[in-house]
């Protein structure tokens, strides 16, 4: 917590980007806030596009509008076991070549339907695959999807403006007819 | 200088000292202060003021960086406390972290602690079921441990006294093995829980019951509780954060501010009790030696009467560490039994299932309690190949799931419009009585000390054959009852958790009639040092099956009144 607070203050001082050089100065710099992941700004932006494909903007805001990529990185960096982190990192690194193979282009260059198709294919990579990169892509996408859903549904936007959360849920009723609950459809 | 010393000693002299500010200690303090007794409460942890020191109480889910989840780092640094269901991002500041206060596990034992003003009363599950003579007479009838020196009639008025002040919600169920008390209106059982209740009646007559569990929440008599600054429970179910309404009983919201208001309470926080001072010439305890948690300076405080309510195992530790010429093995420990006959509740087993009925129904709102099975096994007579039995929790719920398949706008709409009502899910967990044994014990480490120079506690507590049989019987009996009720997809579990995670550790300083076989008399005084009282979990002769906190609170109130009568204090 303190570490992140310190980094946040640093971010304010440095105008947002918190970059530290990686060991090899020829490579791109990595984001210091997610030290377990060694994520570059370019990968962060790729992750944002993937999350935004999983939950796109429509009538309501989408994942990128809510910076869900940052939530995903926080959760993977802090709450996912090391094996999962490794799969996530390898999968993220391998994702553009996976995109080229399946969609013919880097992910950011694809049309949105093609983007959806690449992600859907990645998520459905069979458990029997022996290709380590394929495995990692599948793991990376399934972790990303899980945290995109959580980050979106538990965002301030959804929990205050769309489906307001109440700290006081009201007194218990143990016998409610489902048909009596008004169900206003929310268009995405 | 001489005068200064006298003054200093006078300033550190009280009529009563209470060690520990949690559930039981705060009750002793409240009773003493209310009747004019100058009381010092010593708390090893930090101050936690009601309302002021509940930093997460009104936080919304998205305000938690990890949405409530523990980080890997915290889990890895805290293998013990991380197992506790309430140790999450919203309440972890109220738990002892593993590294802060090490102890020795001779056998695996998950010791869950809350070192702060209010202790674990901020974190407890608030279940308050009375004992009956089916419990107090257990050891004598079934031939284990020793006979309790008291019976239900001794404690019943104190149950009432505590229930009224703390606020207990429940129904009058008329069960002899789970006596009714001073109840505020009960919460509601849901349609499937009521159905199960009827099924039990149909298949088992009057021999098995599932009732609404009594819980320490305010649901009525609101004007009365306003005097304590407490309001009606709002069913937030965020109790472990500390309640901004004072809706459930905690020492912080109730007994401690009440004691403070009398002007008779002095609170000394961040003070780790080292030992109780015994004066051989006077033949009694004269005070308490403590170490300032921050400066590590030793200080002594003096009083006529000392209450030890440090939580069960720490009460054992303090008494074991209170050595003198008269008591080389610990205060009051003439028979060598101090620290022995530690027991707990067996929470290993559980069961879950589904119910396809009442498919058109669901629930709404929150409820801070659930259903409860009072013990039915071996109740009137021995009927199995194991001793005693178990209580159990029971609840049914219905959930509305969102379809998480696919990606894109279709996924988004599925998430925003959950429409997959599953079957009702039903579940239960066991709360088994364990048999106190001499071999289940705590001792002081000979070599290792904590940061305050106090020996580490070494815990040697394990399950026995009786517990194994009881786990099996619970699974079999619950499966039978679930099948008879028409529940499907029944799954039993045994999570093999270590003792301790029940957070119902008890004993070590047990009550009894005979000083040769017990440490405390029927009034909670050490047989061999009568101005020292123990009324927390350490005093328990047997565990029975009920959540024990209500009994500790009633014991503390009763013992405080005994002390005041004995000392001819106060307006009794």
């Amino acid at each position: 917590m303190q570490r992140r607070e310190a980094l946040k203050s640093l971010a304010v001082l440095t105008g947002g980007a918190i970059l530290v050089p990686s060991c090899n100065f020829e490579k791109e710099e990595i984001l210091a806030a997610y030290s377990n992941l060694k994520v570059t700004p370019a990968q962060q932006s790729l992750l944002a596009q993937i999350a935004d494909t999983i939950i796109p903007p429509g009538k309501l805001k989408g994942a990128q509008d809510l910076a869900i990529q940052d939530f995903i990185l926080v959760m993977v960096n802090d709450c996912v076991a090391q094996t999962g982190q490794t799969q996530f990192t390898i999968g993220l690194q391998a994702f553009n070549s996976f995109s080229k193979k399946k969609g013919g282009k880097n992910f950011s260059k694809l049309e949105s339907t093609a983007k959806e198709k690449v992600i859907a294919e990645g998520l459905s990579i069979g458990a029997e695959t022996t290709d380590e990169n394929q495995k990692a892509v599948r793991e990376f996408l399934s972790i990303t999807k899980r945290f995109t859903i959580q980050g979106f549904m538990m965002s301030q936007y959804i929990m205050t403006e769309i489906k307001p959360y109440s700290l006081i849920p009201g007194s218990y009723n143990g016998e409610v007819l489902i048909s009596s609950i008004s169900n206003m459809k929310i268009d995405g | 200088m001489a005068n200064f010393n006298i003054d200093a000693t006078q300033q550190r002299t009280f009529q009563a000292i209470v060690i520990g500010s949690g559930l039981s200690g705060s009750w002793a303090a409240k009773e003493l202060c209310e009747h004019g007794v100058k009381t010092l409460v010593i708390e090893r942890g930090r101050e936690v003021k009601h309302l002021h020191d509940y930093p997460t109480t009104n936080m919304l889910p998205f305000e938690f960086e990890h949405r409530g989840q523990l980080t890997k780092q915290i889990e890895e640094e805290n293998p013990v406390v991380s197992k506790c269901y309430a140790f999450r991002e919203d309440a972890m500041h109220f738990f002892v972290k593993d590294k802060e206060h090490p102890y020795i596990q001779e056998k695996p034992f998950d010791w869950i602690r809350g070192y702060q003003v209010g202790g674990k009363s901020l974190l407890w599950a608030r279940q308050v079921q009375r004992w009956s003579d089916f419990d107090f007479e257990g050891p004598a009838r079934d031939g284990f441990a020793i006979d309790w020196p008291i019976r239900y009639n001794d404690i019943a008025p104190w149950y009432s006294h505590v229930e009224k002040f703390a606020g207990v919600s429940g129904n009058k169920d008329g069960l002899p093995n789970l006596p009714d008390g001073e109840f505020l209106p009960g919460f509601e059982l849901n349609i499937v829980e009521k159905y199960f209740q009827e099924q039990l009646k149909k298949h088992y007559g009057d021999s098995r019951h599932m009732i609404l569990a009594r819980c320490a929440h305010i649901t009525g008599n609101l004007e009365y509780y306003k005097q304590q600054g407490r309001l009606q429970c709002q069913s937030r179910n965020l109790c472990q954060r500390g309640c901004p309404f004072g809706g459930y009983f905690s020492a912080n919201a109730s007994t401690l501010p009440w004691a403070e208001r009398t002007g008779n309470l002095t609170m000394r926080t961040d003070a780790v009790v080292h030992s109780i001072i015994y004066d051989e010439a006077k033949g009694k305890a004269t005070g308490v030696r403590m170490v300032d948690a921050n400066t590590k300076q030793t200080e002594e405080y003096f009083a006529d009467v000392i209450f030890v309510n440090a939580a069960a195992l720490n009460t054992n530790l303090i008494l074991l560490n209170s050595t003198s010429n008269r008591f080389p093995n610990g205060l009051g420990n003439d028979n060598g039994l101090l620290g022995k006959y530690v027991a707990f509740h067996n929470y290993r087993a559980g069961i879950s299932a589904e119910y396809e009925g009442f498919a058109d129904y669901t629930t709404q709102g929150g409820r801070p309690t659930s259903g409860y099975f009072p013990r039915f096994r071996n109740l009137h007579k021995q009927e199995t190949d194991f001793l005693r039995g178990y209580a159990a929790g029971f609840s049914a719920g219905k959930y509305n799931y969102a379809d998480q398949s696919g990606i894109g706008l279709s996924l988004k709409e599925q998430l925003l419009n959950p429409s997959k009502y599953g079957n009702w899910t039903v579940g239960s967990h066991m709360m088994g009585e364990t048999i106190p044994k001499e071999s289940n014990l705590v001792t002081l480490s000979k070599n290792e000390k904590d940061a305050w120079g106090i020996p580490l506690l070494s815990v040697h507590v394990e399950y026995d054959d009786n517990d194994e049989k009881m786990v099996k019987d619970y699974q079999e009996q619950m499966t039978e009852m679930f099948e008879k009720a028409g529940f499907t997809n029944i799954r039993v579990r045994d999570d093999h958790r270590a003792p301790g995670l029940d957070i119902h550790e008890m004993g070590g300083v047990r009550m009894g009639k005979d000083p040769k076989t017990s440490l405390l008399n029927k009034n909670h005084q050490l047989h061999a040092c009568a101005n020292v009282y123990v009324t927390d979990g350490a005093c328990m002769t047997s565990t029975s099956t009920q959540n024990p906190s209500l009994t500790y609170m009633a014991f503390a109130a009763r013992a405080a009144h005994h002390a005041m009568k004995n000392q001819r204090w106060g307006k009794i």
Side-chain angles (χ1 to χ4, degrees):
Chain A
M1 291 279 258
Q2 279 177 343
R3 171 181 59 102
R4 197 168 311 286
E5 286 310 312
L7 288 169
K8 270 184 196 158
S9 340
L10 188 64
V12 173
L13 292 173
T14 57
I18 323 159
L19 304 177
V20 294
S22 62
C23 301
N24 181 342
F25 283 89
E26 286 167 15
K27 282 189 181 165
E28 197 179 358
E29 291 177 308
I30 57 164
L31 293 161
Y34 316 110
S35 56
N36 295 335
L37 304 179
K38 314 252 182 310
V39 174
T40 65
Q43 287 169 339
Q44 184 187 33
S45 138
L46 173 61
L47 184 66
Q49 293 171 47
I50 297 169
D52 211 46
T53 307
I54 294 170
I55 298 185
K59 289 205 174 66
L60 305 182
K61 292 178 181 177
Q64 197 166 3
D65 297 324
L66 304 173
I68 299 299
Q69 66 277 9
D70 295 345
F71 173 73
I72 298 168
L73 289 172
V74 166
M75 292 304 283
V76 177
N77 189 72
D78 293 354
C79 297
V80 167
Q82 206 188 338
T83 48
Q85 288 178 348
T86 309
Q87 292 293 85
F88 179 89
T89 314
I90 297 173
L92 176 55
Q93 283 161 1
F95 189 73
N96 259 332
S97 42
F98 179 79
S99 175
K100 269 183 207 153
K101 203 161 93 188
K102 297 293 175 186
K105 290 178 189 166
N106 270 351
F107 191 69
S108 60
K109 301 269 190 293
L110 295 171
E111 296 299 322
S112 58
T113 45
K115 280 182 174 167
E116 279 196 31
K117 196 163 163 277
V118 168
I119 292 176
E121 278 192 51
L123 282 166
S124 61
I125 291 168
E128 69 287 346
T129 182
T130 49
D131 183 324
E132 289 302 321
N133 276 351
Q134 293 260 317
K135 255 190 211 168
V137 165
R138 187 192 62 217
E139 276 309 298
F140 157 69
L141 285 176
S142 93
I143 290 169
T144 298
K145 180 177 168 182
R146 173 156 60 92
F147 287 129
T148 301
I149 291 174
Q150 189 188 15
F152 179 73
M153 292 306 289
M154 293 182 82
S155 64
Q156 180 167 4
Y157 170 64
I158 294 292
M159 293 191 114
T160 57
E161 294 177 42
I162 310 303
K163 302 184 87 166
Y165 172 89
S166 174
L167 281 166
I168 297 173
S171 58
Y172 191 72
N173 186 343
E175 200 173 323
V176 179
L177 264 173
I178 291 171
S179 57
S180 73
I181 302 171
S182 69
N183 246 339
M184 283 269 288
K185 169 110 169 35
I186 303 172
D187 291 332
Chain B
M1 273 315 269
N3 280 339
F4 172 78
N5 280 335
I6 289 166
D7 287 350
T9 303
Q10 273 171 356
Q11 274 173 18
R12 286 186 279 111
T13 301
F14 298 81
Q15 287 175 287
I17 291 175
V18 178
I19 304 171
S21 66
L23 271 165
S24 65
S26 75
W27 263 99
K30 179 236 169 208
E31 296 299 322
L32 293 165
C33 290
E34 211 175 12
H35 293 90
V37 178
K38 296 290 177 193
T39 303
L40 171 71
V41 171
I42 304 181
E43 166 54 49
R44 67 174 299 156
R46 67 187 169 92
E47 176 68 274
V48 173
K49 277 258 179 250
H50 182 51
L51 307 179
H52 300 280
D53 295 320
Y54 303 156
T56 59
T57 190
N58 284 322
M59 280 172 69
L60 295 162
F62 53 84
E63 294 179 294
F64 292 97
E65 189 179 18
H66 304 97
R67 305 297 186 267
Q69 207 176 320
L70 295 177
T71 66
K72 281 286 147 203
Q73 188 183 352
I74 286 171
E75 281 181 0
E76 279 157 21
E77 285 171 1
N78 298 281
V80 171
V81 69
S82 291
K83 292 180 201 164
C84 178
Y85 67 98
F87 185 75
R88 305 252 305 149
E89 198 172 26
D90 65 343
M92 58 187 181
H93 49 286
F94 289 143
F95 287 87
V96 164
K97 312 299 177 296
D98 292 12
K99 272 186 196 157
E100 293 169 350
H101 298 285
Y103 62 99
I104 298 161
Q105 301 182 54
E106 288 178 46
K107 298 280 174 185
F109 185 88
D110 296 327
W111 191 13
I112 309 299
R113 294 157 289 171
Y115 290 171
Q116 63 250 329
V117 169
K120 297 194 293 291
S121 77
L122 286 166
L123 299 164
W124 66 315
R126 312 163 311 280
Q127 295 287 302
V128 278
Q129 330 302 332
R130 286 187 179 203
W131 280 39
S132 71
D133 278 338
F134 289 96
D135 309 299
F136 285 111
E137 289 175 359
R141 189 194 81 176
D142 293 344
F144 67 95
I146 49 169
D147 190 14
W148 278 87
I150 56 167
R151 289 294 182 266
Y152 179 66
N153 280 342
D154 295 305
I155 196 71
W158 298 101
Y159 274 143
S160 292
H161 181 71
V162 166
E163 284 164 346
K164 184 160 186 258
F165 189 81
V168 171
S169 153
N171 297 329
K172 297 219 185 249
D173 299 294
L175 302 176
N177 51 327
L178 204 77
D180 293 331
E182 313 296 322
F183 295 152
L184 305 170
F187 288 91
E188 196 188 339
L189 290 175
N190 65 43
I191 189 168
V192 171
E193 292 161 348
K194 284 178 187 161
Y195 160 79
F196 187 55
Q197 222 174 16
E198 285 159 19
Q199 289 292 305
L200 286 178
K201 201 166 282 171
K202 184 174 149 197
H203 295 289
Y204 298 91
D206 203 32
S207 66
R208 296 186 186 189
H209 299 271
M210 197 284 290
I211 61 163
L212 175 78
R214 293 105 190 231
C215 63
H217 288 253
I218 295 172
T219 55
N221 202 9
L222 302 181
E223 286 303 313
Y224 172 78
Y225 295 103
K226 267 189 198 157
Q227 299 169 55
Q228 295 177 38
R230 298 172 58 203
L231 306 172
Q232 181 160 14
C233 168
Q234 302 293 310
S235 292
R236 293 176 6 132
N237 278 352
L238 301 172
C239 313
Q240 70 282 356
R241 299 180 184 180
C243 183
F245 301 94
Y248 73 92
F249 173 85
S250 68
N252 313 63
S254 178
T255 30
L256 288 176
W258 193 263
E260 196 171 19
R261 204 181 299 172
T262 64
N264 296 317
L265 174 73
T266 303
M267 181 74 85
R268 176 70 168 88
T269 61
D270 303 289
V272 185
V273 170
H274 173 278
S275 53
I276 293 163
I277 304 161
Y278 182 78
D279 186 318
E280 220 159 305
K282 290 180 180 157
K284 61 177 191 176
T286 53
V288 166
R289 190 172 293 118
M290 61 119 223
V291 183
D292 186 290
N294 303 313
T295 66
K296 311 251 165 100
Q297 293 293 309
T298 299
E299 289 174 36
E300 290 181 352
Y301 289 92
F302 306 99
D304 301 316
V305 169
I306 293 157
F307 276 76
V308 196
N309 299 76
L313 297 191
N314 273 324
T315 287
N316 276 275
L317 189 158
I318 289 169
L319 293 176
L320 283 165
N321 203 38
S322 301
T323 54
S324 55
N325 283 332
R326 167 68 184 83
F327 294 109
N329 301 313
L331 189 64
N333 189 16
D334 285 339
N335 53 27
L337 297 181
L338 178 61
K340 295 175 177 171
Y341 296 96
V342 169
F344 56 98
H345 280 154
N346 178 358
Y347 267 54
R348 265 169 46 184
I351 184 167
S352 60
E354 292 176 32
Y355 185 55
E356 289 166 17
F358 302 111
D360 297 340
Y361 287 88
T362 187
T363 68
Q364 281 185 325
R367 180 182 65 169
T369 187
S370 65
Y372 182 86
F373 268 94
R375 176 168 70 96
F376 55 85
R377 265 303 191 213
N378 301 321
L379 187 64
H380 296 282
K381 60 177 196 322
Q382 185 64 35
E383 58 197 22
T384 65
D385 66 345
F386 60 86
L387 288 178
R388 313 304 292 162
Y390 41 83
F394 178 84
S395 62
K398 178 100 156 188
Y399 304 98
N400 190 5
Y401 302 94
D403 178 358
Q404 300 201 351
S405 66
I407 57 168
L409 272 177
S410 61
L411 171 64
K412 193 181 184 186
E413 301 223 341
Q414 287 155 212
L415 295 172
L416 292 165
N417 302 287
S419 58
K420 282 170 76 173
Y421 278 101
N423 287 329
W424 285 84
T425 57
V426 292
S428 163
H429 67 278
M430 82 179 284
M431 298 178 267
E433 176 161 0
T434 68
I435 306 300
K437 293 180 295 286
E438 193 168 2
S439 57
N440 275 350
L441 75 170
V442 294
T443 52
L444 298 187
S445 168
K446 292 198 172 52
N447 320 311
E448 292 182 77
K449 291 189 172 177
D450 68 14
W452 302 273
I454 297 165
L456 295 193
L457 193 71
S458 188
V459 186
H460 182 288
V461 173
E462 56 189 334
Y463 292 105
D464 62 19
D465 193 41
N466 202 64
D467 301 320
E468 301 295 335
K469 287 176 178 163
M470 207 185 282
V471 164
K472 204 163 155 272
D473 188 70
Y474 166 87
Q475 293 178 333
E476 286 167 3
Q477 294 305 311
M478 294 304 293
T479 301
E480 181 190 294
M481 289 184 268
F482 275 28
E483 279 172 351
K484 286 188 171 167
F487 298 159
T488 56
N489 196 15
I490 297 169
R491 287 148 296 172
V492 294
R493 65 177 182 273
D494 173 2
D495 65 12
H496 293 281
R497 66 176 63 191
L501 199 52
D502 42 297
I503 328 184
H504 287 176
E505 60 275 14
M506 296 177 232
V509 197
R510 70 182 179 185
M511 296 172 79
K513 292 169 184 161
D514 184 353
K516 288 197 188 71
T517 57
S518 61
L519 278 302
L520 301 170
N521 68 16
K522 65 179 181 183
N523 297 312
H524 296 264
Q525 301 165 284
L526 282 174
H527 288 297
C529 185
N531 68 332
V532 173
Y533 289 79
V534 176
T535 73
D536 64 8
C539 77
M540 300 297 276
T541 307
S542 66
T543 74
S544 201
T545 57
Q546 288 90 326
N547 313 66
S549 302
L550 177 72
T551 300
Y552 306 162
M553 293 193 276
F555 280 167
R558 176 174 173 268
H561 282 256
H562 181 271
M564 289 188 281
K565 261 194 198 132
N566 232 18
Q567 299 285 336
R568 298 171 194 283
W569 282 339
K571 305 163 219 147
I572 295 282

